[in-house]
Amino acid sequence: MCGRFSITLPSDAMAQLFDSVPGNDLPVVPNYNVCPTNAVHTVRSEGGQRRLSAMRWGFIPHWYKAPNGGPLLINARAETIAEKPAFKTACRERRCLVPATGFYEWTKDAEDNRLPWYIYPKRQEVLAFAAVWQDWSRDGQDLRTCAIVTTAANAAISAIHHRMPVILAPEDWPLWLGEQGHGAAKLMTAPPEDALSFHRVGTAVNSNRARGAELIEPLTA
C-alpha cells in the first residue's frame, strides 16, 4: 500500500537527478502530504529523452466515463498487474517513476486509533517508486494519470504494513523506463531490508489537509 508520501526536492534538482527535461506544469514543492488525486512529479522516457512532468495520482482506465467512474486506483499490485484489465497494457508500454522523499503507513493501537509512521531512505536523497501511467479523455477533459506499483513488504517494513511501494535503485531506472529492452517484471520486488529507516510521527498527517515540515518530525513522548 502507498496512500500518502512526501516530496521535498526542488523540481530543478529532480530534473538533474533523473537526467530529464522538466515540464512547465510541475507541482509545487515541498509537499509533505501528497494525497491521492493530487498532481505528482513523474519521470517517463519518450523518444529517447526522459521527461519530468505532472500526472494525476489515481489511474483512470480508458473505459471510465468520468474520473470518479469507478474505484480510485492509486496502487497496482505487482503480483497481478500483468493480468488486470486496467493495468496490463500500461505495465508493458507505459511505465514511469514517481520521485518521493518518504512515505507514510499506519498501524493501530488497542483502541483502533490510526498511528502514522514516516518511512524514508537511509542513504539516498530520493526514492523512485515504480509506477504506470494512462491518458484519459472524455467530453473535452484530458488527464494523464498514474498508479504506484506495490509489492509484499520486506521484513523491516512488514511490522508496520504488509505492502509497500516498489522502490527502484538508480541502476534499474533505465530498464523500468523501457530504455533497456524487456525484463522489467523482475524489478517488482521489495528493496533490501537496510534500505529504509522509519519513525512514528504525529497524527496530524491523518488529515489530508495537513501541511508543513512538522508532519515528518519524529514523535516525542
Side-chain angles (χ1 to χ4, degrees), residues 175-198:
L175 183 57
W176 184 257
L177 293 174
E179 299 166 351
Q180 291 184 343
H182 302 292
K186 68 183 180 183
L187 302 177
M188 292 190 289
T189 60
E193 291 182 29
D194 64 349
L196 301 170
S197 293
F198 49 87

Side-chain angles (χ1 to χ4, degrees), residues 7-202:
I7 180 65
T8 61
L9 193 68
S11 293
D12 56 350
M14 271 188 270
Q16 183 175 6
L17 177 65
F18 290 95
D19 191 22
S20 58
V21 176
N24 57 11
D25 61 344
L26 297 173
V28 174
V29 285
N31 186 345
Y32 293 90
N33 193 9
V34 182
C35 302
T37 75
N38 286 173
V40 298
H41 292 78
T42 66
V43 180
R44 73 184 194 282
S45 189
E46 180 181 81
Q49 176 66 63
R50 291 182 186 173
R51 302 194 179 277
L52 179 68
S53 60
M55 296 187 193
R56 175 193 188 264
W57 184 21
F59 190 101
I60 307 177
H62 66 84
W63 60 82
Y64 278 24
K65 294 182 179 180
N68 60 352
L72 180 60
L73 304 177
I74 62 170
N75 295 151
R77 293 175 65 93
E79 297 87 346
T80 59
I81 192 172
E83 289 81 39
K84 289 287 186 181
F87 301 124
K88 64 181 182 180
T89 301
C91 78
R92 293 194 305 270
E93 302 175 1
R94 294 186 300 277
R95 299 188 298 271
C96 63
L97 304 171
V98 173
T101 43
F103 63 101
Y104 301 94
E105 290 295 357
W106 282 260
T107 54
K108 290 186 177 182
D109 64 15
E111 287 75 42
D112 213 34
N113 297 308
R114 299 180 74 230
L115 309 177
W117 296 75
Y118 185 61
I119 304 166
Y120 53 95
K122 279 187 178 179
R123 292 175 289 274
Q124 300 168 228
E125 189 172 17
V126 170
L127 302 171
F129 297 154
V132 292
W133 64 274
Q134 169 79 44
D135 283 335
W136 179 89
S137 298
R138 183 83 56 154
D139 300 327
Q141 187 177 17
D142 300 316
L143 295 173
R144 181 158 285 175
T145 71
C146 67
I148 293 169
V149 182
T150 66
T151 189
N154 61 30
I157 302 303
S158 63
I160 302 172
H161 198 277
H162 67 286
R163 305 288 297 176
M164 67 183 301
V166 171
I167 299 169
L168 301 177
E171 59 268 24
D172 294 327
W173 298 346
L175 183 57
W176 184 257
L177 293 174
E179 299 166 351
Q180 291 184 343
H182 302 292
K186 68 183 180 183
L187 302 177
M188 292 190 289
T189 60
E193 291 182 29
D194 64 349
L196 301 170
S197 293
F198 49 87
H199 57 248
R200 273 286 318 279
V201 294

